[in-house]
Structure formats: C-alpha cells, structure tokens
C-alpha cells in the first residue's frame, strides 16, 4: 500500500503435481527463495509440492514470505479413509492453501462437484485458503458450452458456502484443453471469462464483493507468456504446472510479476 492506494497484488502458484519427489522439491523450494531475493516488489508465491514433500519444503520456506499449499485434501476430518489426508493433518504441516477441483483429479479420480464442494467446506473449516479450479474441456469449448460448464461448476460447489473473508477463496480458471498442451486462449477470452466468473460469484456469494475474490489463469503458462497475462488488471495471478518445476521458467514468471508490480508502484 502506498498513499492509500492498494496495489493490485499478483499471485503465482506453483503446482508441482506428481513431478518431483522430496529431494527435488527441497531444491526447487530453495531455488524459489533465491529467485525472490533482492526484488523491490514481490508477488505472493505459493508452492504446492506433493504430500510427501510438504514437511521438508515447509522447513525451507517457513521463515519466508512463500506460502505452502497442498494439491488436494479429503472431505472428512479423520476416520477410516485409507490413503486420504485431512485438512487438519495439512495444517499440522504448516500448509496454508489447498488446490481443490483440479481437472486432473476430476478426470482421473472421478471427482464430482459434490465431492469438491465437501472438500471446500472441509478446507474452510480448517482455516485453509482454497484455490478452486474450474474450466471447460475442448469438446465443451467447441460446442460453445464453456460458460455454462464454468457456471455449473461454480454454482454446484459454492452456492450457499459460508465464506468469512475474500482471502479464503481464489478461483483458478484452467481450460482443460490448455493444460500441458502449449495451447492458450486469447487474453481477451480469459478476461471475458474472468468477468463472467465474477458475475457468478456475486450471485452465489451475495455477501462477498466478487471484485475482491482473486481470479487466476492456468494452462501452459511459461516464462515467455506470463507477462501478457499478468499485465491485465483483472488477472490476479497464475496457476503454473509444468513450467513451475523448471527453476529458470519459474524465475521468469516471477520476474514478469515483479515487473508488473514495479510499474504499478511507479504510477502511484
Ligand atoms: P501446465 O502449466 O503444465 O499447463 O499445467 C497447468 C495446471 O494444471 C496447473 O494447475
């Protein structure tokens, strides 16, 4: 904040998926901290390693501004659910954020909007900030059903959910066809979808100011295209997969965010 003007904070979320184990995660986390050093302005950075690396990565980032996120959680607090991890367990490890409803889980693990809704409730009960993923498939896009798909996902998951603060929820618009493919929507399409997402949020969360809920983009983000998204005021940040396990790429993405934030500060 400067002169009473609130800067448009940008968020960079690194979703390491099932790409790196403990040792590599620790090295990447250390590299991320180095990449953040000596900057005038910093985006908010959240790194999401696999469950098995959370504890070690937490040791690396604990005294930094970098936050720790999980890639999933279960919808119950405890009990006979073999192989599952609860929100309560995540908070024990220093996790503050959790990705919910990623399209890979919807596709390969059969996650439904109802399961995702229960997971969101569980995360909020445990004071975890939710990064909720939505997005249409290539087939839905081809038939012009992308808005309807995203609307349905948001309504099924969030209608009636009790949110105490805007900070507790981010929406990541990740068109399924753009994930890991090198194909990206036009920036104008993302802006239009973000506006649409905010209009749905106003309907389903009437007590919230939807303009304050952060809406991110994800899908084939790399160092060389990050700036084109981040310079847009209504794209609050990026959810990055493949490029986030390549330190030089992640650094370029953070550079792009810092450049945007520096420019904003100069204008104030
Ligand atoms: P890619 O950046 O590899 O396309 O993945 C995006 C994603 O799924 C992030 O959650």
């Amino acid at each position: 904040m400067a002169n009473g003007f609130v800067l448009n904070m940008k968020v960079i979320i690194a979703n390491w998926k099932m790409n790196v184990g403990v040792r590599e995660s620790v090295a990447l986390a250390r590299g991320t901290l180095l990449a953040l050093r000596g900057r005038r302005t910093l985006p908010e950075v959240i790194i999401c390693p696999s469950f098995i690396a959370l504890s070690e990565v937490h040791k690396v980032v604990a005294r930094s501004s970098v936050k720790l996120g999980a890639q999933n959680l279960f919808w119950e607090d405890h009990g006979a659910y073999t192989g599952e991890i609860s929100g309560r367990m995540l908070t024990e490890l220093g996790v503050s954020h959790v990705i919910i409803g990623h399209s890979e889980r919807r596709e390969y693990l059969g996650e439904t909007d109802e399961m995702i809704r229960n997971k969101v409730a569980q995360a909020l009960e445990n004071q975890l900030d939710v990064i909720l993923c939505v997005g249409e498939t290539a087939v839905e896009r081809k038939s012009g059903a992308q808005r309807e798909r995203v609307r349905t996902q948001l309504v099924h998951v969030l209608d009636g959910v009790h949110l105490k603060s805007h900070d507790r929820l981010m929406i990541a618009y990740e068109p399924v066809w753009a994930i890991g493919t090198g194909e990206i929507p036009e920036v104008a399409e993302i802006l239009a979808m973000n506006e649409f997402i905010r209009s749905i949020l106003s309907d389903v969360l009437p007590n919230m100011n939807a303009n304050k809920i952060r809406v991110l983009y994800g899908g084939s983000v790399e160092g060389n295209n990050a700036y084109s998204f981040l310079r847009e005021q209504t794209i609050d940040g990026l959810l990055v997969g493949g490029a986030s396990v390549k330190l030089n790429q992640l650094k370029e993405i953070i550079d792009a965010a810092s450049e945007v934030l520096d420019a904003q500060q100069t204008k104030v």
Side-chain angles (χ1 to χ4, degrees), residues 15 17 99 102-104 133 174 178-181 218-221 239-243:
N15 176 9
K17 306 193 179 184
I99 298 172
H102 195 282
S103 62
E104 286 150 13
C133 302
E174 295 207 306
I179 295 178
T181 59
S220 295
V221 171
L239 177 52
V240 189

Side-chain angles (χ1 to χ4, degrees), residues 1-10 167 211-212 214 233 236 260-261 264-265 267-268:
M1 183 147 16
N3 299 334
F5 181 83
V6 181
L7 289 173
N8 177 20
M9 190 45 156
K10 299 287 180 183
D167 298 341
N211 288 326
K212 289 195 178 166
R214 288 181 289 180
Q233 210 192 333
D236 295 306
V260 170
L261 294 169
Q264 279 176 4
Q265 211 164 49
K267 271 194 222 148
V268 174

Side-chain angles (χ1 to χ4, degrees), residues 74-81 86-89 122:
F74 192 58
W75 59 76
E76 294 290 345
D77 207 38
H78 66 278
Y81 303 103
S86 72
R88 195 159 52 106
M89 292 170 177
Q122 183 60 209

Side-chain angles (χ1 to χ4, degrees), residues 70-73 98-103 105-106 111 115-124 129-134 157:
Q71 298 175 17
N72 178 37
L73 88 173
V98 59
I99 298 172
I100 301 182
H102 195 282
S103 62
R105 297 198 60 83
R106 293 180 194 255
E111 282 195 8
M115 291 175 190
I116 293 163
R117 180 184 173 84
N118 292 337
K119 289 182 178 208
V120 168
Q122 183 60 209
L124 294 173
D129 291 6
V130 171
I131 302 151
L132 174 65
C133 302
V134 297
V157 174

